[in-house]
């Protein structure tokens, strides 16, 4: 193929993904193995936004036999052969477009010369073993332990190499695999190794006690060993950098520095993340969490709504109908026949009851079902408050009028001498809102095409700490203060009323424990902010706090 053959042709990058999923354990251990397809011409936010950018193209066969053949060499090689030949047969449609350009109709309605290329495969480690034909437990990047009898499906496609197509897996390699499966197990083993078995268990019990009194943010731990604290801190910094939506050379240098500060077993896969990010972009754009979430709409819910007899045919029919409805809706919106975000009334059938979950909305509906999840609005931030209650009747704060007078003076840039004489005697009409629906920018979470997500903020007051902006020009936490929400101020001195515009983000405080004593069992999380004298500002509550606070 010469360069003139591809002149003015659109380069379409094919991204594949496969992941075996279980839909029923109690009734026969029913499993399915869907194969998904996406293209690299889309932005990562669209691929993660549940907008049919990742589609199921096939259900792969799952060979089963008696347990005595589970480790049989011939049967294992048969499963490998069936896996690769199935994918090869499915991708034959793209084969002419890989060697020379073909004419295709684009989403804008125009026809274009297109040339395809297999560039990435989203897979967790068991899938990588099947794809690359390596021995279980070996690293896919080393390319050692490869079975020469296994011929991958990419051998029949030009410019395709399965060893170069495997993308980084943020979910199973970093978040779940490294942190949850390996790090926590390693910490417990470390404590029992350094101390005795009984003393190590006592330390773990004290750690669990300290977790219970921390203000509510789940799965946070503080360890009394300095080396371990530094190791976990460096590892968490590495995880948060890998989750960012935008990475540049400076970010990669910071990633390498954080990674060099710890050494944990089973973590050598992170050694390749620098080069993998350069090849595939940010890990969040090609993560197995995308296929995991697609299982819900493409496999699990259609299976739940079937009659459990010959379910695969019914599931395929449901997916076909939903794709046609989505295409029809897009066509109606493009021709002005339907407003963007229109959703039909809910019905009793599967297609009606689950239509709102499959078709995108613009977030303008007022249904309670839309208080949570991705939205396609493109706003800086939006909050809708619930019905209010009288604040004066809600809290017992005798200094509230004085605090309000000081707040108004600060907002109006007035001194105490220049305050109007009647301002302090003005009636107080202050309200407290116990719940709200917030729309905010969260591209690393499941979000809309603009990275927006909506969340319902509770049904009652909580012990929330917040970052209060003091100086916009000072970077990080040096320009911030930490404040406690007013419903929960008890015996604290520095009380004031601040404008909502200076509230930046939720904060999390962890008490500074006495290393020489165990935490009393009678202390609960509801009073921990009133019990201790000093607190750590925790930057690991989520990736937003990690980016803005430090």
């Amino acid at each position: 193929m010469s360069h003139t053959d591809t002149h003015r042709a659109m380069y379409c990058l094919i991204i594949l993904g496969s992941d075996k999923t279980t839909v029923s354990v109690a009734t026969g251990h029913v499993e399915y193995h869907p194969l998904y397809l996406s293209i690299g011409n889309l932005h990562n936010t669209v691929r993660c936004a549940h907008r049919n950018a990742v589609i199921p193209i096939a259900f792969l066969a799952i060979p089963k036999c008696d347990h005595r053949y589970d480790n049989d060499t011939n049967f294992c090689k048969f499963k490998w052969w069936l896996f690769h030949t199935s994918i090869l047969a499915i991708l034959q449609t793209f084969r002419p477009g890989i060697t020379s350009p073909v004419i295709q109709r684009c989403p804008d309605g125009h026809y274009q010369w297109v040339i395809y290329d297999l560039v990435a495969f989203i897979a967790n480690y068991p899938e990588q073993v099947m794809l690359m034909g390596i021995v279980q437990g070996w690293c896919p990047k080393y390319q050692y332990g490869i079975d020469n009898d296994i011929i991958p499906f990419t051998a029949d496609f030009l410019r395709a190499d399965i060893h170069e197509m495997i993308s980084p897996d943020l979910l199973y390699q970093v978040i779940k695999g490294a942190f949850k499966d390996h790090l926590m197990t390693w910490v417990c083993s470390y404590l029992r190794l350094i101390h005795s078995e009984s003393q190590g268990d006592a330390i773990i019990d004290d750690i669990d006690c300290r977790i219970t009194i921390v203000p509510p943010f789940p799965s946070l731990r503080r360890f009394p060993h300095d080396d371990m604290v530094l190791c976990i801190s460096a590892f968490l910094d590495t995880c948060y950098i890998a989750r960012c939506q935008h990475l540049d050379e400076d970010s990669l240098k910071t990633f390498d520095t954080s990674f060099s500060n710890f050494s944990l077993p089973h973590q050598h896969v992170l050694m390749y993340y620098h080069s993998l990010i350069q090849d595939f972009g940010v890990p969040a754009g090609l993560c197995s969490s995308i296929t995991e979430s697609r299982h819900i709409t493409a496999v699990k819910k259609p299976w739940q709504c079937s009659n459990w007899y010959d379910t695969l045919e019914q599931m395929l029919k449901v997916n076909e109908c939903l794709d046609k409805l989505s295409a029809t809706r897009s066509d109606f919106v493009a021709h002005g026949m339907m407003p963007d975000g229109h959703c039909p009334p809910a019905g009793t059938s599967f297609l009606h009851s689950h239509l709102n979950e499959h078709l995108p909305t613009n977030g303008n509906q007022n249904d309670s079902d839309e208080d949570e999840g991705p939205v396609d609005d493109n706003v800086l931030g939006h909050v809708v408050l619930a019905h209010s209650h009288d604040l004066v009747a809600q809290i017992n704060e005798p200094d509230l009028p004085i605090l309000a007078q000081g707040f108004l003076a600060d907002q109006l840039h007035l001194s105490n001498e220049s305050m109007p004489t009647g301002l302090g005697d003005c009636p107080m009409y202050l309200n407290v809102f116990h719940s709200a629906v917030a729309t905010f920018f969260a591209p690393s979470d499941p979000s809309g095409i603009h990275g927006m997500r909506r969340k319902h903020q509770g049904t009652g007051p909580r012990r929330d700490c917040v970052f209060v902006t003091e100086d916009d020009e000072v970077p990080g936490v040096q320009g911030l203060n930490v404040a406690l929400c007013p419903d929960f101020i008890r015996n604290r001195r520095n009380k004031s009323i601040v404008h909502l515009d200076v509230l930046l983000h939720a904060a999390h405080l962890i008490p500074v424990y006495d290393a020489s004593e165990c935490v009393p069992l009678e202390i609960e999380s509801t009073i921990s902010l009133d019990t201790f004298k000093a607190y750590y500002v925790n930057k690991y509550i989520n990736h937003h706090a990690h980016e803005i606070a430090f």
Side-chain angles (χ1 to χ4, degrees):
M1 181 176 58
S2 63
H3 293 290
T4 57
D5 296 334
T6 60
H7 183 58
R8 294 185 179 179
M10 181 178 67
Y11 189 42
C12 185
L13 310 176
I14 298 177
I15 300 172
L16 301 173
S18 65
D19 185 19
K20 188 183 299 184
T21 182
T22 302
V23 296
S24 175
V25 177
T27 57
H29 197 72
V30 181
E31 294 180 310
Y32 291 96
H33 198 170
L35 178 67
Y36 297 102
L37 180 142
S38 184
I39 59 175
N41 305 65
L42 303 174
H43 291 285
N44 291 338
T45 53
V46 178
R47 191 176 297 110
C48 300
H50 306 276
R51 293 295 300 268
N52 287 341
V54 179
I55 60 173
I57 59 174
F59 284 86
L60 302 176
I62 304 177
K64 294 186 178 181
C65 64
D66 296 336
H67 289 293
R68 64 176 180 269
Y69 297 112
D70 287 344
N71 297 321
D72 183 76
T73 303
N74 293 328
F75 181 66
C76 291
K77 289 185 177 181
F78 169 75
K79 290 192 293 184
W80 263 320
W81 174 84
L82 181 62
F83 180 76
H84 285 277
T85 53
S86 299
I87 297 178
L88 178 61
I90 295 168
L91 297 181
Q92 288 300 314
T93 305
F94 297 102
R95 192 168 184 176
I98 292 178
T99 56
S100 59
V102 295
I103 298 178
Q104 293 289 347
R105 186 177 183 270
C106 297
D108 59 2
H110 296 83
Y111 289 88
Q112 175 72 34
W113 287 102
V114 177
I115 185 167
Y116 296 106
D117 203 357
L118 302 179
V119 295
F121 205 109
I122 304 173
N124 55 24
Y125 183 74
E127 295 287 324
Q128 294 178 13
V129 172
M130 292 288 292
L131 286 165
M132 307 177 73
I134 61 175
V135 178
Q136 181 79 25
W138 286 65
C139 176
K141 302 301 293 184
Y142 274 129
Q143 297 189 17
Y144 293 121
I146 298 177
D147 192 338
N148 294 326
D149 295 334
I150 305 300
I151 301 177
F153 70 93
T154 54
D156 286 5
F157 292 96
L158 187 66
R159 304 181 304 275
D161 184 0
I162 190 60
H163 301 282
E164 302 294 334
M165 289 175 56
I166 299 298
S167 62
D169 188 5
L170 188 64
L171 176 62
Y172 285 100
Q173 291 176 347
V174 178
I175 300 174
K176 184 180 182 297
F179 183 77
K180 182 179 179 182
D181 294 343
H182 296 154
L183 186 61
M184 293 297 100
T185 303
W186 173 78
V187 167
C188 295
S189 301
Y190 172 84
L191 293 175
R192 294 188 178 99
L193 179 64
I194 298 299
H195 309 278
S196 62
E197 187 78 16
S198 59
Q199 188 177 359
D201 291 337
I203 294 175
I204 294 175
D205 291 337
D206 183 54
I207 292 173
D208 292 335
C209 182
R210 298 184 182 197
I211 296 174
T212 58
I213 66 174
V214 168
F217 273 100
S219 303
L220 298 177
R221 295 193 175 190
R222 165 174 162 74
F223 302 98
H225 299 270
D226 293 339
D227 293 339
M228 186 182 297
V229 170
L230 294 176
C231 176
I232 295 177
S233 176
F235 176 76
L236 290 176
D237 285 333
T238 304
C239 293
Y240 278 114
I241 295 173
R243 289 192 62 185
C244 291
Q245 285 291 317
H246 304 282
L247 295 173
D248 52 19
E249 290 297 330
D250 294 335
S251 301
L252 293 179
K253 291 179 181 179
T254 306
F255 177 88
D256 294 336
T257 302
S258 300
F259 177 72
S260 64
N261 290 330
F262 70 92
S263 177
L264 297 175
H266 308 291
Q267 305 310 317
H268 71 275
V269 67
L270 295 177
M271 295 169 52
Y272 307 103
Y273 261 56
H274 188 122
S275 59
L276 290 174
I277 290 172
Q278 292 176 330
D279 293 339
F280 295 98
V282 293
L286 297 175
C287 179
S288 58
S289 60
I290 299 175
T291 56
E292 290 278 359
S293 61
R294 197 66 174 92
H295 286 336
I296 300 174
T297 56
V299 181
K300 295 184 178 182
K301 286 189 175 180
W303 182 86
Q304 292 172 358
C305 296
S306 67
N307 60 9
W308 296 3
Y309 177 77
D310 197 11
T311 55
L312 183 58
E313 182 178 354
Q314 299 176 53
M315 292 162 59
L316 294 174
K317 179 61 69 175
V318 167
N319 279 281
E320 180 184 356
C321 292
L322 290 173
D323 289 340
K324 290 181 178 179
L325 286 172
S326 180
T328 301
R329 175 192 172 279
S330 299
D331 185 67
F332 285 173
V333 171
H335 289 83
M337 302 169 60
M338 179 185 295
D340 190 13
H342 171 78
C343 287
T348 57
S349 67
F350 170 80
L351 296 179
H352 283 153
S353 62
H354 294 275
L355 195 59
N356 289 341
E357 300 182 11
H358 292 280
L359 299 183
T361 64
N362 64 354
N364 293 330
Q365 289 78 15
N366 295 323
D367 296 336
S368 59
D369 294 340
E370 296 185 2
D371 284 351
E372 301 275 350
V375 292
D376 288 341
D377 292 337
N378 187 15
V379 295
L380 181 62
H382 182 64
V383 176
V384 178
L385 300 176
H387 295 291
S388 61
H389 302 277
D390 183 32
L391 179 61
V392 177
Q394 186 72 24
I395 64 175
N396 183 18
E397 180 53 66
D399 296 333
L400 183 61
I402 300 176
L403 295 175
Q405 183 174 352
F407 169 74
L408 293 175
D410 181 68
Q411 294 295 310
L412 298 174
H413 304 287
L414 299 175
S415 62
N416 293 331
E417 293 78 10
S418 59
M419 285 285 293
T421 55
L423 187 58
D425 299 328
C426 290
M428 303 297 295
Y429 297 103
L430 301 177
N431 295 319
V432 58
F433 298 87
H434 288 318
S435 63
V437 177
T439 304
F440 52 93
F441 184 67
S444 295
D445 298 328
S447 54
I449 59 176
H450 298 293
M452 304 300 296
R453 179 174 177 81
R454 178 181 290 129
K455 185 176 181 181
H456 183 261
Q457 302 290 343
T459 57
R462 302 177 302 179
R463 297 183 62 86
D464 286 342
C465 294
V466 293
F467 288 116
V468 178
T469 305
E470 291 290 332
D471 191 345
D472 293 332
E473 298 181 356
V474 179
V477 74
Q478 301 298 327
L480 304 174
N481 273 333
V482 178
L484 191 64
C485 289
D487 265 5
F488 307 97
I489 296 177
R490 296 186 177 182
N491 298 319
R492 303 192 176 273
R493 297 181 178 179
N494 298 326
K495 303 176 183 179
S496 64
I497 297 177
V498 298
H499 200 282
L500 288 177
D501 292 342
V502 302
L503 301 183
L504 181 60
H505 192 271
H508 186 245
L509 299 181
I510 296 181
V512 178
Y513 304 104
D514 189 350
S516 61
E517 298 180 359
C518 294
V519 176
L521 296 178
E522 60 270 14
I523 299 179
E524 299 179 355
S525 61
T526 55
I527 62 173
S528 62
L529 292 176
D530 298 312
T531 304
F532 296 88
K533 297 180 180 179
Y535 300 87
Y536 295 105
V537 178
N538 183 14
K539 68 175 181 179
Y540 298 117
I541 50 173
N542 52 37
H543 60 281
H544 303 295
H546 187 270
E547 292 177 359
I548 66 177
F550 288 86

mmCIF file of all heavy atoms in Angstrom, residues 6 13-14 50 63 65 82 101 107 111 152 207 229 243 250 374 379 387 427 442 463 496 548:
data_model
loop_
_atom_site.group_PDB
_atom_site.id
_atom_site.type_symbol
_atom_site.label_atom_id
_atom_site.label_comp_id
_atom_site.label_asym_id
_atom_site.label_seq_id
_atom_site.Cartn_x
_atom_site.Cartn_y
_atom_site.Cartn_z
ATOM 1 N N THR A 6 -3.675 6.224 0.565
ATOM 2 C CA THR A 6 -4.307 6.710 1.795
ATOM 3 C C THR A 6 -4.450 8.224 1.827
ATOM 4 O O THR A 6 -4.829 8.774 2.857
ATOM 5 C CB THR A 6 -3.465 6.274 3.012
ATOM 6 O OG1 THR A 6 -2.147 6.837 2.889
ATOM 7 C CG2 THR A 6 -3.363 4.761 3.091
ATOM 8 N N LEU A 13 -9.221 4.542 14.301
ATOM 9 C CA LEU A 13 -8.528 3.658 15.240
ATOM 10 C C LEU A 13 -9.541 2.748 15.920
ATOM 11 O O LEU A 13 -10.501 3.226 16.538
ATOM 12 C CB LEU A 13 -7.782 4.484 16.287
ATOM 13 C CG LEU A 13 -6.886 5.603 15.746
ATOM 14 C CD1 LEU A 13 -6.295 6.401 16.889
ATOM 15 C CD2 LEU A 13 -5.793 5.023 14.875
ATOM 16 N N ILE A 14 -9.339 1.447 15.825
ATOM 17 C CA ILE A 14 -10.255 0.472 16.406
ATOM 18 C C ILE A 14 -9.748 0.062 17.777
ATOM 19 O O ILE A 14 -8.596 -0.353 17.932
ATOM 20 C CB ILE A 14 -10.399 -0.760 15.492
ATOM 21 C CG1 ILE A 14 -10.986 -0.357 14.144
ATOM 22 C CG2 ILE A 14 -11.272 -1.815 16.164
ATOM 23 C CD1 ILE A 14 -11.096 -1.503 13.165
ATOM 24 N N HIS A 50 -21.256 6.848 28.764
ATOM 25 C CA HIS A 50 -22.417 5.999 28.536
ATOM 26 C C HIS A 50 -23.282 6.528 27.377
ATOM 27 O O HIS A 50 -24.499 6.584 27.460
ATOM 28 C CB HIS A 50 -23.266 5.875 29.797
ATOM 29 C CG HIS A 50 -22.495 5.413 30.997
ATOM 30 N ND1 HIS A 50 -22.244 4.090 31.253
ATOM 31 C CD2 HIS A 50 -21.875 6.110 31.987
ATOM 32 C CE1 HIS A 50 -21.532 3.979 32.358
ATOM 33 N NE2 HIS A 50 -21.296 5.189 32.816
ATOM 34 N N PRO A 63 -16.026 -22.310 26.542
ATOM 35 C CA PRO A 63 -15.961 -23.785 26.610
ATOM 36 C C PRO A 63 -15.960 -24.262 28.060
ATOM 37 O O PRO A 63 -15.256 -23.718 28.909
ATOM 38 C CB PRO A 63 -14.635 -24.115 25.913
ATOM 39 C CG PRO A 63 -14.222 -22.881 25.201
ATOM 40 C CD PRO A 63 -14.808 -21.735 25.961
ATOM 41 N N CYS A 65 -16.172 -27.969 30.630
ATOM 42 C CA CYS A 65 -16.047 -29.422 30.677
ATOM 43 C C CYS A 65 -16.000 -29.847 32.139
ATOM 44 O O CYS A 65 -16.181 -29.031 33.053
ATOM 45 C CB CYS A 65 -14.795 -29.886 29.927
ATOM 46 S SG CYS A 65 -13.266 -29.317 30.676
ATOM 47 N N LEU A 82 -9.888 -21.337 20.261
ATOM 48 C CA LEU A 82 -11.261 -20.901 20.013
ATOM 49 C C LEU A 82 -11.404 -19.403 20.252
ATOM 50 O O LEU A 82 -12.100 -18.697 19.502
ATOM 51 C CB LEU A 82 -12.217 -21.682 20.912
ATOM 52 C CG LEU A 82 -13.712 -21.357 20.764
ATOM 53 C CD1 LEU A 82 -14.190 -21.691 19.359
ATOM 54 C CD2 LEU A 82 -14.530 -22.121 21.808
ATOM 55 N N PRO A 101 -8.047 1.870 1.801
ATOM 56 C CA PRO A 101 -9.217 2.649 2.238
ATOM 57 C C PRO A 101 -10.513 2.136 1.623
ATOM 58 O O PRO A 101 -10.547 1.645 0.485
ATOM 59 C CB PRO A 101 -8.896 4.065 1.764
ATOM 60 C CG PRO A 101 -7.419 4.099 1.596
ATOM 61 C CD PRO A 101 -7.034 2.716 1.156
ATOM 62 N N PRO A 107 -20.991 9.746 10.786
ATOM 63 C CA PRO A 107 -22.150 10.200 11.560
ATOM 64 C C PRO A 107 -22.745 11.518 11.080
ATOM 65 O O PRO A 107 -23.928 11.786 11.335
ATOM 66 C CB PRO A 107 -21.586 10.340 12.979
ATOM 67 C CG PRO A 107 -20.450 9.385 13.024
ATOM 68 C CD PRO A 107 -19.849 9.415 11.662
ATOM 69 N N TYR A 111 -20.064 10.803 3.118
ATOM 70 C CA TYR A 111 -19.274 9.613 2.840
ATOM 71 C C TYR A 111 -17.799 9.991 2.768
ATOM 72 O O TYR A 111 -17.436 11.061 2.278
ATOM 73 C CB TYR A 111 -19.729 8.958 1.531
ATOM 74 C CG TYR A 111 -21.079 8.295 1.645
ATOM 75 C CD1 TYR A 111 -22.254 9.026 1.415
ATOM 76 C CD2 TYR A 111 -21.199 6.961 1.994
ATOM 77 C CE1 TYR A 111 -23.503 8.429 1.527
ATOM 78 C CE2 TYR A 111 -22.440 6.353 2.110
ATOM 79 C CZ TYR A 111 -23.581 7.095 1.871
ATOM 80 O OH TYR A 111 -24.819 6.505 1.984
ATOM 81 N N PRO A 152 -1.869 -15.501 17.866
ATOM 82 C CA PRO A 152 -2.884 -14.477 18.162
ATOM 83 C C PRO A 152 -3.613 -14.045 16.903
ATOM 84 O O PRO A 152 -3.113 -14.184 15.781
ATOM 85 C CB PRO A 152 -2.067 -13.340 18.776
ATOM 86 C CG PRO A 152 -0.697 -13.525 18.241
ATOM 87 C CD PRO A 152 -0.494 -15.004 18.076
ATOM 88 N N ILE A 207 -5.741 -0.076 64.778
ATOM 89 C CA ILE A 207 -5.939 0.639 63.507
ATOM 90 C C ILE A 207 -7.424 0.671 63.154
ATOM 91 O O ILE A 207 -7.967 1.717 62.760
ATOM 92 C CB ILE A 207 -5.121 -0.025 62.386
ATOM 93 C CG1 ILE A 207 -3.632 0.167 62.638
ATOM 94 C CG2 ILE A 207 -5.508 0.548 61.027
ATOM 95 C CD1 ILE A 207 -2.748 -0.599 61.672
ATOM 96 N N VAL A 229 4.120 4.564 56.387
ATOM 97 C CA VAL A 229 3.349 5.766 56.044
ATOM 98 C C VAL A 229 3.911 6.415 54.786
ATOM 99 O O VAL A 229 3.175 6.807 53.874
ATOM 100 C CB VAL A 229 3.350 6.750 57.224
ATOM 101 C CG1 VAL A 229 2.761 8.081 56.793
ATOM 102 C CG2 VAL A 229 2.560 6.184 58.389
ATOM 103 N N ARG A 243 -4.751 8.797 37.664
ATOM 104 C CA ARG A 243 -6.181 8.981 37.422
ATOM 105 C C ARG A 243 -6.509 10.328 36.788
ATOM 106 O O ARG A 243 -7.652 10.560 36.418
ATOM 107 C CB ARG A 243 -6.966 8.852 38.726
ATOM 108 C CG ARG A 243 -7.046 7.451 39.277
ATOM 109 C CD ARG A 243 -8.067 7.368 40.374
ATOM 110 N NE ARG A 243 -9.399 7.693 39.885
ATOM 111 C CZ ARG A 243 -10.486 7.787 40.662
ATOM 112 N NH1 ARG A 243 -10.370 7.613 41.959
ATOM 113 N NH2 ARG A 243 -11.662 8.077 40.150
ATOM 114 N N ASP A 250 5.570 17.219 32.719
ATOM 115 C CA ASP A 250 5.796 17.488 34.134
ATOM 116 C C ASP A 250 5.040 16.489 35.007
ATOM 117 O O ASP A 250 5.555 16.041 36.046
ATOM 118 C CB ASP A 250 5.377 18.917 34.478
ATOM 119 C CG ASP A 250 6.261 19.964 33.804
ATOM 120 O OD1 ASP A 250 7.424 19.626 33.491
ATOM 121 O OD2 ASP A 250 5.785 21.093 33.586
ATOM 122 N N PRO A 374 -24.434 10.744 35.517
ATOM 123 C CA PRO A 374 -23.873 11.638 34.493
ATOM 124 C C PRO A 374 -24.946 12.509 33.866
ATOM 125 O O PRO A 374 -26.094 12.105 33.683
ATOM 126 C CB PRO A 374 -23.283 10.661 33.464
ATOM 127 C CG PRO A 374 -23.186 9.351 34.172
ATOM 128 C CD PRO A 374 -24.289 9.330 35.173
ATOM 129 N N VAL A 379 -21.868 23.398 32.425
ATOM 130 C CA VAL A 379 -21.936 24.565 33.296
ATOM 131 C C VAL A 379 -20.758 24.519 34.251
ATOM 132 O O VAL A 379 -20.151 23.472 34.475
ATOM 133 C CB VAL A 379 -23.259 24.596 34.099
ATOM 134 C CG1 VAL A 379 -24.439 24.764 33.172
ATOM 135 C CG2 VAL A 379 -23.407 23.337 34.939
ATOM 136 N N HIS A 387 -36.535 22.380 49.928
ATOM 137 C CA HIS A 387 -37.341 23.275 50.751
ATOM 138 C C HIS A 387 -36.574 23.624 52.027
ATOM 139 O O HIS A 387 -35.898 22.791 52.616
ATOM 140 C CB HIS A 387 -38.678 22.615 51.110
ATOM 141 C CG HIS A 387 -39.547 22.380 49.913
ATOM 142 N ND1 HIS A 387 -40.138 23.397 49.199
ATOM 143 C CD2 HIS A 387 -39.888 21.222 49.287
ATOM 144 C CE1 HIS A 387 -40.838 22.885 48.196
ATOM 145 N NE2 HIS A 387 -40.701 21.569 48.229
ATOM 146 N N PRO A 427 -34.728 42.445 61.157
ATOM 147 C CA PRO A 427 -35.191 41.072 61.415
ATOM 148 C C PRO A 427 -34.369 40.068 60.604
ATOM 149 O O PRO A 427 -33.967 40.343 59.482
ATOM 150 C CB PRO A 427 -36.655 41.105 60.960
ATOM 151 C CG PRO A 427 -36.729 42.246 59.998
ATOM 152 C CD PRO A 427 -35.744 43.265 60.479
ATOM 153 N N ALA A 442 -16.662 16.525 37.132
ATOM 154 C CA ALA A 442 -15.974 15.359 37.697
ATOM 155 C C ALA A 442 -15.607 14.405 36.579
ATOM 156 O O ALA A 442 -16.213 13.346 36.419
ATOM 157 C CB ALA A 442 -16.849 14.670 38.735
ATOM 158 N N ARG A 463 -21.760 16.317 59.352
ATOM 159 C CA ARG A 463 -20.602 16.984 59.934
ATOM 160 C C ARG A 463 -19.586 17.238 58.832
ATOM 161 O O ARG A 463 -18.556 16.563 58.749
ATOM 162 C CB ARG A 463 -20.014 16.135 61.052
ATOM 163 C CG ARG A 463 -20.958 15.935 62.222
ATOM 164 C CD ARG A 463 -20.278 15.138 63.322
ATOM 165 N NE ARG A 463 -19.117 15.816 63.872
ATOM 166 C CZ ARG A 463 -19.159 16.707 64.838
ATOM 167 N NH1 ARG A 463 -20.322 17.079 65.352
ATOM 168 N NH2 ARG A 463 -18.059 17.262 65.294
ATOM 169 N N SER A 496 -17.750 32.492 62.307
ATOM 170 C CA SER A 496 -18.029 33.587 61.381
ATOM 171 C C SER A 496 -18.940 33.077 60.285
ATOM 172 O O SER A 496 -19.064 31.861 60.072
ATOM 173 C CB SER A 496 -16.734 34.156 60.778
ATOM 174 O OG SER A 496 -16.082 33.169 60.001
ATOM 175 N N ILE A 548 -6.462 20.015 44.228
ATOM 176 C CA ILE A 548 -6.642 21.437 44.545
ATOM 177 C C ILE A 548 -5.999 21.832 45.866
ATOM 178 O O ILE A 548 -5.645 22.994 46.054
ATOM 179 C CB ILE A 548 -8.141 21.807 44.589
ATOM 180 C CG1 ILE A 548 -8.838 21.092 45.747
ATOM 181 C CG2 ILE A 548 -8.808 21.504 43.267
ATOM 182 C CD1 ILE A 548 -10.289 21.468 45.903
#
